[in-house]
Amino acid sequence: MDRGPGMGYSHVRGSALQLMMPRVVHVKEETVVAALNSETARRIMSRCIHKAMAVKDLSEKTAIPLPSAYRHVNGLVEDGLLYVERSAMTADGKPYDLYRSTLKSCRIEMDADGVRVTWELNSSADQRLQHMWQSLRGERRG
């Protein structure tokens, strides 16, 4: 089941310039359930809810071997459950990406009517910036 679109930013790597393009997220219920069934996916996604992280850092913080971490992160990106929030460079000039979870929270409910899986999309960098700007200007969110 498709949920409504979430807005965020994705990157397109240019020669020396990072171009930012809006991204629309359509997360499917079966994709969320599959990710919740994987301990590795849960560990990676939960680390990326509040802050974007590099795969190397995810590997170290979750004790997932680096090749496995790359494989899982790539799969979660393909499934729309992680996205590249921004790109950065190492001290020696090598580019790397910082990943953020598309989902802020997820809930599974079961009752006599069946099982329901619901989730809340994580706010994107542009949404957080807009909220901070509105707070500074004394505006209320609608």
Side-chain angles (χ1 to χ4, degrees):
M1 171 185 335
D2 282 312
R3 302 292 187 207
M7 290 301 291
Y9 280 98
S10 183
H11 78 290
V12 175
R13 201 170 266 149
S15 55
L17 176 65
Q18 289 289 344
L19 302 173
M20 299 300 280
M21 296 175 38
R23 71 177 177 88
V24 177
V25 178
H26 295 283
V27 179
K28 295 182 178 181
E29 184 173 332
E30 57 269 16
T31 304
V32 174
V33 171
L36 293 175
N37 280 328
S38 165
E39 180 184 347
T40 303
R42 288 192 312 264
R43 287 167 41 200
I44 290 170
M45 289 174 54
S46 65
R47 285 286 179 165
C48 297
I49 289 174
H50 297 292
K51 120 180 185 182
M53 294 186 71
V55 177
K56 183 178 178 188
D57 295 332
L58 282 167
S59 174
E60 292 170 2
K61 300 271 186 203
T62 60
I64 299 168
L66 190 57
S68 294
Y70 272 106
R71 187 176 71 252
H72 283 280
V73 165
N74 288 333
L76 290 166
V77 169
E78 285 177 21
D79 290 340
L81 298 174
L82 287 181
Y83 67 96
V84 176
E85 184 174 81
R86 65 186 180 277
S87 295
M89 293 259 189
T90 63
D92 58 349
K94 295 179 184 171
Y96 66 96
D97 293 326
L98 294 151
Y99 297 90
R100 183 120 189 223
S101 175
T102 302
L103 305 182
K104 180 177 184 178
S105 65
C106 185
R107 168 178 250 127
I108 299 174
E109 298 178 54
M110 182 179 78
D111 59 22
D113 294 327
V115 177
R116 287 174 302 287
V117 180
T118 58
W119 55 86
E120 181 181 354
L121 294 176
N122 213 349
S123 59
S124 62
D126 63 321
Q127 290 167 329
R128 290 189 308 277
L129 182 61
Q130 181 181 15
H131 178 255
M132 287 188 320
W133 179 249
Q134 288 172 339
S135 295
L136 288 172
R137 292 179 59 196
E139 297 177 10
R140 294 182 181 253
R141 290 197 320 177

